[in-house]
């Protein structure tokens, strides 16, 4: 079985552009988490989604960031009007069900803002 | 949210056991203790988790203190591939998910 797939692995954007990060969870997993890792820091939770629903977005910045997990297709983390401070590694994780389950992580998208 | 405290770094020789400590003195009765590790340029990898009893799997063992205020991840025979940052985490138990907030973890160096 394929694990969590994230693409692109590396993304370069200029200030003011939009960044779209994609995450395909493990087949059969309906729960997706997005995390951000700044240099020299641990991962920080951003948002938790189930199919077609945002369950918990308490870790998301209030502006410019949005996430979705449609019925068909990958989960998308969208960052509008990027700024230099958005440069980070963004990780997606999935789990098969709600509750205290291990999360399976992708290898991340490294976003660089010029 | 309950927090965890880990040493910044540890060093081990190859093929020797490694004991990675974690303090979580404000843990609540329902908090599970999770361990993940992260190799360079990769996403985190689940290692093990437990609630009260000691736990074993193919990767490691987890020893949980009787008062649950501390735990120890045990790698029985360290290999060079075990060099990674190890994170001890108490998931954020909201009504609908178990989000993980990673601290800075313990950077494990394994020398031949």
């Amino acid at each position: 079985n394929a694990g969590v797939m994230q693409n692109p692995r590396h993304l370069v954007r200029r200030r003011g552009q939009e960044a779209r990060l994609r995450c395909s969870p493990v087949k059969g997993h309906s729960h997706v988490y997005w995390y951000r890792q700044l240099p020299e820091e641990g991962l920080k939770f951003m948002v938790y989604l189930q199919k077609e629903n945002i369950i918990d977005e308490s870790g998301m910045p209030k502006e410019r960031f949005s996430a979705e997990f449609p019925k068909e297709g990958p989960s998308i983390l969208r960052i509008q009007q990027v700024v230099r401070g958005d440069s980070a590694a963004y990780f997606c994780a999935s789990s098969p069900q709600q509750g205290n389950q291990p999360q399976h992580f992708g290898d991340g998208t490294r976003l660089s803002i010029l | 949210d309950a927090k965890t405290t880990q040493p910044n770094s540890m060093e081990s020789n190859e093929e020797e056991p490694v004991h990675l400590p974690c303090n979580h003195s404000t843990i609540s009765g329902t908090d599970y203790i999770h361990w993940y590790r992260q190799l360079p340029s990769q996403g985190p990898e689940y290692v093990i988790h437990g609630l009260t009893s000691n736990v074993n799997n193919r990767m490691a063992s987890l020893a949980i203190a009787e008062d649950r205020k501390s735990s120890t991840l045990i790698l029985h025979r360290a290999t060079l591939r075990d060099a990674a940052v190890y994170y001890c985490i108490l998931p954020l138990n909201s009504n609908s998910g178990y989000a993980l907030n990673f601290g800075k973890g313990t950077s494990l160096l394994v020398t031949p």
Side-chain angles (χ1 to χ4, degrees):
Chain A
N1 286 335
V4 175
M5 303 299 293
Q6 290 189 248
N7 66 83
R9 288 295 308 275
H10 301 274
L11 182 61
V12 179
R13 285 287 177 266
R14 297 188 180 280
R15 282 177 294 171
Q17 291 184 321
E18 177 179 290
R20 280 183 179 243
L21 287 61
R22 288 177 290 278
C23 168
S24 296
V26 173
K27 187 176 181 181
H29 286 193
S30 58
H31 299 252
V32 165
Y33 299 80
W34 283 94
Y35 296 84
R36 177 167 64 177
Q37 185 173 32
L38 297 171
E40 309 302 320
E41 299 280 333
L43 282 73
K44 300 302 179 191
F45 165 72
M46 298 180 75
V47 61
Y48 164 50
L49 310 101
Q50 296 177 25
K51 281 287 187 181
E52 300 185 272
N53 289 304
I54 297 173
I55 307 300
D56 181 354
E57 55 182 348
S58 58
M60 288 271 273
K62 298 296 181 211
E63 297 178 348
R64 303 187 297 108
F65 284 72
S66 62
E68 62 178 14
F69 188 17
K71 187 177 180 180
E72 302 291 338
S75 177
I76 305 289
L77 179 67
R78 181 182 177 204
I79 311 172
Q80 295 178 286
Q81 300 175 345
V82 296
V83 301
R84 287 237 171 93
D86 297 333
S87 295
Y90 292 82
F91 291 94
C92 168
S94 72
S95 66
Q97 60 193 61
Q98 181 176 321
N100 188 38
Q101 300 292 318
Q103 294 180 22
H104 302 253
F105 282 81
D107 282 335
T109 293
R110 279 144 186 86
L111 176 63
S112 298
I113 309 302
L114 301 179
Chain B
D1 301 328
K3 295 186 68 174
T4 62
T5 305
Q6 300 177 252
N8 289 334
S9 61
M10 291 185 65
E11 191 170 337
S12 173
N13 294 321
E14 197 176 9
E15 298 191 5
E16 290 187 355
V18 181
H19 290 234
L20 297 164
C22 180
N23 287 324
H24 27 78
S25 58
T26 59
I27 193 170
S28 74
T30 56
D31 284 336
Y32 278 77
I33 303 156
H34 285 237
W35 284 82
Y36 284 75
R37 70 181 185 181
Q38 186 177 22
L39 279 67
S41 300
Q42 293 187 22
E45 176 187 26
Y46 167 79
V47 178
I48 200 166
H49 76 286
L51 183 63
T52 56
S53 304
N54 294 343
V55 185
N56 300 295
N57 66 21
R58 63 175 180 81
M59 289 183 69
S61 295
L62 177 60
I64 301 172
E66 197 168 331
D67 64 5
R68 301 206 332 118
K69 293 178 186 271
S70 65
S71 61
T72 302
L73 180 70
I74 302 166
L75 307 179
H76 296 286
R77 287 184 68 208
T79 69
L80 297 178
R81 292 170 56 186
D82 291 322
V85 179
Y86 286 79
Y87 296 96
C88 170
I89 301 167
L90 307 182
L92 303 172
N93 183 6
S94 70
N95 288 332
S96 50
Y98 282 79
L100 307 171
N101 261 338
F102 294 67
K104 294 195 173 179
T106 296
S107 180
L108 176 65
L109 176 66
V110 181
T111 53

